[in-house]
Amino acid sequence: MQPRVTAVIVARNGAKYLPRTLAAIAAQHRRPDSVIAVDADSSDESLSIMVASAPAQIADAHGRRTFGGAIAQALQTAAPQAAEDEWLWLLSYDSAPDQNALSALLGAVEIAPSVAVAGPKLVRWDDPTTITNFGESLTPLGRSLGLVNDELDQAQHDVQTDALGVAGAGMLVRRHVWAALGGFDPKLPSVDAALDFCVRARLAGHRVVAVADARIASAGGPELFGKKSVSAAAHNRLQRFAQLHRRLVYAPGFAVPLHWLTLLPLAILRSLGHLVAKRPTAVIGELAAAFAAIFDGGVVAARRNLRRNKRVGFGAVNPLRITWSELRELRAHERSGDAPDAAFEVAHPRLFGDGGAWVVLLAAVVGVISFSRFVDVRALTGGGLLPLSASVPELWSHVGYGWNDLAQQVVAADPFAVVLAVMGSLTFWNPSFSIVVLYLVALPLAALAAWLCAASISERPWAPMLAAAAWTLAPSFLVSLGEGQLGAVLVHILLPWLVLAVLRAAHNWAMSAIAALLFATIAASAPSIVPALVIALVAWIIARPKSSHRLLWIVIPAAALFAPLVVQQVSRGALLAIFADPGLPVARIASNGWQLALGSVVPGSNGWSSLLSALGLNDQYGPLLVALLLSPFAALALMSLFVPGSRRAIPSLSLALLGFVTAVAVTHLSVSSAGEASVVLWAGAALSLYWLGLCGAVVVAVESLERHSALPAFLTLIGVLALAVAPLWTLASGAAPVSASNGRLLPAFVSAESTQRDGLGTLQLTVTSPSTMAVDIHRGRGSGLDEQSTFAATSTELSAAEKQSATLAGNIASRSGFDIASELDDLQIAFIVLTPESDPDAASTRQRIIEALDGNSLLNPIGDTAQGNLWHYSEVAESSTTVGVTNTDTQLGRAVLLGQAIILGLTLLLAIPTTRRRRLRAAKAESAVTVIEASE
């Protein structure tokens, strides 16, 4: 007697697929005896299409939007089981079976009475030669796993029959088994619902088989049920919850509390693992799945149902689970299938073999010659440079939110303090030595960065070599080195790396994190170019909208670093002050527009006027000579707009325009001061952005000219090399402001006394003009570069502490009846330093101050030192209170450090490279196409 088969077809918004599915059911060689059509809250024409097919019964599963829920609702209202040997054939609206699918399924179960569930081979809806699902299993840790996924069907898996589970779409199941087991678990609406049912069937003493001859075309099946698509993050969340739910259901009773208690800790650890594995989108889903499992109210009912039907132990199931060795083999097979297609590979120049290494080596030689006098020094000073704090703990105590001696109040530290703390930690035995090392390797680092960036979009060795030479010898870079503008130096070195990382960040979380760290470093080093970088990033996001979640992450670490300072500056109405250059403020005359166009960050002609004058030549020809030397470089950049593939030059020239506009803008913006002089923002970083865009355009031009590029490229290279002669001569001759230092910020006597007693202050007086004097208070060994504060430099109003110190300085620098002893005791000041003369016109003022200090009986003159004249107040009283608070002494300070540490730590985890990464083949193809487009 033939078994009776009732086909249950469930539809939810499946009008697109239903006609083919219904036609396939009607065309079966062994047609089902009865068809139940179930509509699960469809909003399209699904119901009318099913009615037109004249099924035996129409069921309305109102409120049941899942595959299993709709089947349960339909069977409750359906006719009772008509025969003892009745089977249910479960079909989704997008499950179109082959003509012999039902015959093959029945043939497999008729010869094996122990079989209660049979599953078909699911193939792609639009490509029946590709298998999408054929058998399911569990990993040793309980995660569900498809045995066959997206493989070409070559009958390689047709020998397998017994399976731990099969897919829900096309499943053939005995009706009395379905009823006894209660159907699909209602807490598993999609993912793992069929697998869980098959496991429970196995534990009830039945067999589950996969039938290779039964083929069903599927467009997603119950997992997508009624949805156009399910994101990878949502699928991971559903799969993780299903795993946790099954774990709580299958576990022995005594182990359930242990599993429940470990849900959240495991979720946190797995979230860190997702970050390391470059899957940050899975973090929220991981935590959401854990919380859903913690408050899972369906575990008790599911455990009760399992206990009621269980006939055998899990020993009957374990042989069908995937072993660790089988799992590794399966993963290896998937990785080999995801290997990049050779058709997308582009032959780029190699660092070793195509001239890149020689460029870097020559840059290193030039760097050593230019800074040879710094080889054996401990620290650098001059211009915008100062030594760093003497120890790593001091460096890190100046980040975040805490007391600042220069501001004389609790303020938000500059983000640049984090950059300096990291640099100083690398040379922990002498933090200031890290700046010396940076100067010695600055030129080769810039050459390497530029060469690799240019080589990523180039196929010819000439273009990266020319770009690396032009970038390394950029006038703004060399002048920034000589002027001690450390932030601009770092920006110039890191900008090519940032471009390279951002281009690859669209399809790679690791590159996105690296780009985020680079962006944060560049923003902290030169806040003035942040608007230009953000505009460029927004343009890239518009061009790659599908990758916006990766690209948006790039600005988050920088935002975390700047947030405390921005809030504090905005709260006092100084919004533009956030763009102030970090480090020691130095008043200089800004360049005009045409000088900026020539790459000159300081007035003049990139040092050529001075060099011509030193050679006894007419220095008026300096600007003309610079323009002549730059003309081949400018001509190639402009030519990029008129050669084949010119559309690739538009982004580069747009970046150059952003950099030039920013450079012009910052030279007209003054938000900080040095004494009574206003400080104009340093345009070096903006000019580096301008120069980067021009270098990119030159690469495009050289690439497009092909074999005709030799002469223009050679003339451009000669011009760039000749242009750098003057600034390199300034650096090598020692004429630049930067000079060697012993690392001391204050006289040796002050440093020695400070080691004996913490918190001692030094009042530093600097005569800036015949009528003005700058006042600073330092603690311990002095305020290094890492303790400089843009909040203090941009302050337009004196705080109470600053007024107190100004009053003390004014009275101590002149003969008066003011009681300075109480003020010195109150401020814990034991030393007074009058810095060396810097303005000849103020010599008489400085001499009067010396006489006033020498005539004060409370002060002991120590003498003239390298840091200036020194006096000692030896009677300073002991104080029971500590002056200032560190960045960990307040709740707000700890919160700022914790928040920044979490965001930077997560970004660093994402940035750590992994040796084994899984990528979708489509993403690889898209990434390769992006590279090809960039190189066209």
Side-chain angles (χ1 to χ4, degrees):
M1 178 178 178
Q2 274 195 333
R4 176 180 174 81
V5 177
T6 298
V8 183
I9 177 170
V10 185
R12 180 168 180 261
N13 299 326
K16 177 182 177 181
Y17 304 97
L18 268 173
R20 176 179 169 182
T21 299
L22 293 172
I25 295 174
Q28 291 294 298
H29 292 157
R30 166 53 166 98
R31 300 184 64 180
D33 300 286
S34 177
V35 176
I36 300 176
V38 188
D39 179 63
D41 279 350
S42 297
S43 59
D44 59 6
E45 300 175 353
S46 296
L47 181 59
S48 59
I49 294 175
M50 289 191 295
V51 170
S53 67
Q57 180 182 337
I58 297 288
D60 182 11
H62 181 70
R64 303 292 186 93
R65 298 191 173 187
T66 65
F67 185 65
I71 294 174
Q73 178 74 13
L75 292 180
Q76 286 179 3
T77 59
Q81 183 170 340
E84 182 179 351
D85 192 18
E86 182 177 356
W87 293 81
L88 298 175
W89 194 22
L90 311 181
L91 296 167
S92 178
Y93 58 86
D94 56 351
S95 303
D98 284 356
Q99 290 182 339
N100 66 336
L102 183 56
S103 299
L105 289 171
L106 288 173
V109 301
E110 286 175 350
I111 61 174
S114 60
V115 174
V117 180
K121 177 190 292 183
L122 298 184
V123 296
R124 286 183 56 175
W125 182 269
D126 55 349
D127 182 11
T129 62
T130 302
I131 307 173
T132 60
N133 185 290
F134 188 50
E136 298 177 353
S137 186
L138 296 173
T139 67
L141 295 180
R143 185 178 179 87
S144 60
L145 188 72
L147 298 177
V148 184
N149 297 293
D150 293 326
E151 288 189 25
L152 184 65
D153 188 4
Q154 297 175 315
Q156 69 272 35
H157 300 290
D158 289 1
V159 295
Q160 71 182 56
T161 55
D162 274 278
L164 182 57
V166 294
M171 175 189 290
L172 187 69
V173 54
R174 294 184 187 273
R175 183 165 182 175
H176 72 85
V177 173
W178 174 271
L181 297 178
F184 292 160
D185 190 331
K187 296 300 293 185
L188 300 175
S190 56
V191 176
D192 288 4
L195 175 62
D196 170 73
F197 177 81
C198 292
V199 171
R200 289 188 283 121
R202 283 275 182 183
L203 294 175
H206 307 291
R207 285 179 59 203
V208 178
V209 296
V211 183
D213 293 334
R215 296 165 56 88
I216 293 182
S218 174
E223 288 193 7
L224 294 179
F225 200 65
K227 302 176 182 178
K228 293 183 179 180
S229 64
V230 174
S231 66
H235 183 272
N236 289 336
R237 174 178 57 82
L238 293 172
Q239 190 175 38
R240 179 58 178 168
F241 169 75
Q243 178 184 0
L244 296 177
H245 175 79
R246 289 186 289 97
R247 180 177 296 172
L248 294 174
V249 173
Y250 298 163
F254 69 89
V256 172
L258 179 61
H259 284 305
W260 188 85
L261 291 173
T262 58
L263 288 175
L264 187 57
L266 280 177
I268 296 174
L269 291 177
R270 284 174 56 87
S271 296
L272 295 177
H274 288 311
L275 291 174
V276 174
K278 312 301 174 286
R279 296 188 299 267
T281 54
V283 172
I284 296 178
E286 181 72 38
L287 296 174
F291 279 106
I294 289 172
F295 300 102
D296 185 0
V299 172
V300 175
R303 288 182 60 84
R304 187 180 297 117
N305 183 29
L306 177 65
R307 186 170 58 252
R308 182 173 57 249
N309 295 283
K310 188 177 179 182
R311 299 292 180 270
V312 297
F314 276 91
V317 172
N318 291 335
L320 296 172
R321 297 174 70 139
I322 294 290
T323 63
W324 286 114
S325 59
E326 292 171 334
L327 181 62
R328 285 192 295 269
E329 183 179 353
L330 187 62
R331 297 303 188 205
H333 179 68
E334 291 178 355
R335 286 193 298 273
S336 64
D338 288 338
D341 196 331
F344 295 112
E345 293 182 359
V346 179
H348 296 293
R350 298 166 299 169
L351 180 63
F352 296 95
D354 289 321
W358 285 108
V359 174
V360 175
L361 180 60
L362 290 175
V365 172
V366 174
V368 170
I369 294 175
S370 301
F371 303 111
S372 58
R373 64 188 185 280
F374 298 152
V375 171
D376 58 347
V377 303
R378 290 179 51 82
L380 298 178
T381 189
L385 281 182
L386 285 174
L388 300 179
S389 295
S391 65
V392 172
E394 286 183 69
L395 285 174
W396 288 103
S397 69
H398 296 149
V399 306
Y401 184 83
W403 177 267
N404 184 272
D405 289 334
L406 299 177
Q408 296 189 48
Q409 58 181 309
V410 177
V411 299
D414 294 335
F416 193 53
V418 177
V419 178
L420 294 176
V422 173
M423 288 179 55
S425 299
L426 296 177
T427 56
F428 55 89
W429 63 94
N430 178 16
S432 297
F433 186 64
S434 62
I435 299 179
V436 179
V437 174
L438 178 64
Y439 264 66
L440 294 176
V441 300
L443 296 187
L445 284 180
L448 177 64
W451 194 95
L452 291 176
C453 185
S456 68
I457 59 172
S458 175
E459 299 180 36
R460 303 178 184 279
W462 253 108
M465 292 174 64
L466 179 58
W471 181 253
T472 305
L473 302 176
S476 60
F477 180 45
L478 299 179
V479 173
S480 294
L481 284 166
E483 295 291 331
Q485 293 297 323
L486 185 62
V489 170
L490 289 172
V491 167
H492 194 88
I493 294 173
L494 297 179
L495 268 178
W497 295 108
L498 177 63
V499 171
L500 193 59
V502 169
L503 289 177
R504 298 179 178 179
H507 307 291
N508 190 313
W509 271 109
M511 282 298 169
S512 174
I514 292 174
L517 294 175
L518 291 171
F519 184 90
T521 304
I522 290 173
S525 303
S528 58
I529 67 169
V530 170
L533 294 179
V534 170
I535 292 173
L537 182 61
V538 169
W540 184 235
I541 292 175
I542 293 174
R544 293 290 184 271
K546 293 183 179 179
S547 303
S548 58
H549 57 295
R550 294 188 184 92
L551 298 177
L552 286 174
W553 181 267
I554 293 175
V555 301
I556 292 178
L561 289 179
F562 273 90
L565 182 62
V566 170
V567 170
Q568 200 165 29
Q569 293 282 30
V570 171
S571 65
R572 68 173 184 176
L575 177 61
L576 292 179
I578 62 178
F579 298 114
D581 293 319
L584 183 67
V586 180
R588 295 185 180 90
I589 301 174
S591 299
N592 56 33
W594 72 265
Q595 291 170 338
L596 293 174
L598 295 177
S600 180
V601 70
V602 293
S605 51
N606 296 319
W608 272 100
S609 296
S610 301
L611 180 58
L612 292 176
S613 179
L615 295 176
L617 302 175
N618 192 339
D619 59 358
Q620 294 181 351
Y621 295 108
L624 180 61
L625 179 60
V626 170
L628 182 63
L629 294 175
L630 275 177
S631 57
F633 183 77
L636 272 181
L638 292 176
M639 188 186 299
S640 64
L641 291 173
F642 307 101
V643 294
S646 59
R647 65 185 180 87
R648 295 186 298 125
I650 295 177
S652 295
L653 291 178
S654 299
L655 197 63
L657 180 61
L658 281 173
F660 182 72
V661 170
T662 302
V664 173
V666 300
T667 55
H668 291 82
L669 182 61
S670 175
V671 294
S672 59
S673 61
E676 65 176 356
S678 62
V679 177
V680 178
L681 296 185
W682 182 256
L687 286 182
S688 292
L689 192 63
Y690 163 66
W691 202 259
L692 180 68
L694 293 180
C695 288
V698 167
V699 170
V700 173
V702 172
E703 284 285 304
S704 300
L705 291 175
E706 298 181 350
R707 67 177 183 274
H708 303 294
S709 65
L711 181 60
F714 179 74
L715 292 177
T716 301
L717 180 61
I718 294 299
V720 168
L721 293 176
L723 179 66
V725 170
L728 287 175
W729 173 80
T730 303
L731 293 175
S733 63
V738 174
S739 60
S741 170
N742 57 14
R744 284 199 297 265
L745 296 162
L746 295 173
F749 182 80
V750 176
S751 300
E753 288 292 321
S754 298
T755 59
Q756 304 297 323
R757 180 174 167 185
D758 294 334
L760 285 180
T762 301
L763 184 69
Q764 179 177 310
L765 308 178
T766 304
V767 179
T768 57
S769 74
S771 59
T772 58
M773 178 176 60
V775 182
D776 292 302
I777 293 181
H778 304 281
R779 298 290 169 188
R781 299 178 181 178
S783 301
L785 187 64
D786 52 296
E787 202 175 354
Q788 300 300 306
S789 170
T790 58
F791 187 88
T794 57
S795 179
T796 57
E797 296 181 0
L798 294 179
S799 65
E802 288 174 323
K803 291 179 181 178
Q804 182 183 10
S805 61
T807 302
L808 172 62
N811 284 277
I812 206 172
S814 61
R815 299 180 184 275
S816 68
F818 187 78
D819 181 16
I820 67 170
S822 60
E823 293 294 321
L824 292 173
D825 290 337
D826 185 43
L827 294 175
Q828 288 289 283
I829 292 177
F831 308 97
I832 294 93
V833 173
L834 180 62
T835 59
E837 180 181 317
S838 58
D839 185 0
D841 296 334
S844 59
T845 303
R846 187 174 185 276
Q847 183 60 37
R848 287 198 302 269
I849 295 175
I850 293 175
E851 293 174 356
L853 292 171
D854 284 340
N856 196 317
S857 60
L858 295 176
L859 304 177
N860 300 321
I862 303 300
D864 194 7
T865 69
Q867 286 77 24
N869 296 80
L870 176 65
W871 290 264
H872 182 209
Y873 174 53
S874 57
E875 303 300 326
V876 61
E878 293 281 351
S879 176
S880 58
T881 60
T882 303
V883 178
V885 291
T886 68
N887 53 2
T888 58
D889 288 339
T890 64
Q891 185 174 358
L892 180 57
R894 291 190 294 268
V896 168
L897 287 179
L898 180 61
Q900 292 178 345
I902 290 175
I903 293 177
L904 292 176
L906 294 179
T907 307
L908 187 60
L909 278 177
L910 275 176
I912 296 174
T914 53
T915 56
R916 290 166 43 171
R917 289 176 292 184
R918 298 179 59 194
R919 300 179 184 175
L920 294 176
R921 193 173 302 167
K924 281 187 170 288
E926 185 179 355
S927 176
V929 169
T930 300
V931 174
I932 292 175
E933 289 177 350
S935 61
E936 288 179 352

